[in-house]
């Protein structure tokens, strides 16, 4: 699983095409187009919608995040 680094200013995700969506008590960053849906929640974990027609679009966006060195791999996520 990939996570956005805690040291990264998460507001800069808009530079990668994400939009900030505010809910009542938390916020998420969402990338959405015709083919993919990526959500980064308060836990900073990257969630890719697996029900899309073309997951390669989402993988391209995630690859850009990895190349920008703003992600880390996590294996143990606390609820």
């Amino acid at each position: 699983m990939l996570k956005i680094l805690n040291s990264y200013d998460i507001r800069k995700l808009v530079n990668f095409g994400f939009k900030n969506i505010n809910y009542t008590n938390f916020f998420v960053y969402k990338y959405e187009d015709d083919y993919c849906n990526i959500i980064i929640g308060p836990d900073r974990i990257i969630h890719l919608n697996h029900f899309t027609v073309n997951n390669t679009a989402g993988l391209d966006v995630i690859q850009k995040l990895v190349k920008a060195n703003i992600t880390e791999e996590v294996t143990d996520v606390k609820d």
Side-chain angles (χ1 to χ4, degrees), residues 23-51:
Y23 290 102
T24 305
N25 58 351
F26 66 95
F27 67 93
V28 299
Y29 280 84
K30 185 174 184 179
Y31 178 90
E32 186 173 42
D33 69 11
D34 292 339
Y35 300 107
C36 73
N37 186 354
I38 302 169
I39 296 176
I40 300 173
D43 58 359
R44 293 177 170 249
I45 301 292
I46 300 171
H47 303 276
L48 173 64
N49 184 347
H50 295 285
F51 301 107

Side-chain angles (χ1 to χ4, degrees), residues 7-21:
S7 60
Y8 183 74
D9 183 0
I10 201 161
R11 295 175 292 184
K12 292 182 179 179
L13 287 174
V14 296
N15 297 332
F16 294 93
F18 286 83
K19 294 180 182 176
N20 184 354
I21 300 173

Side-chain angles (χ1 to χ4, degrees), residues 56-75:
T56 60
L59 295 175
D60 291 343
V61 173
I62 292 172
Q63 185 176 11
K64 288 178 185 177
L65 297 174
V66 171
K67 285 184 178 182
N69 292 320
I70 62 169
T71 61
E72 65 181 339
E73 189 172 344
V74 293
T75 55

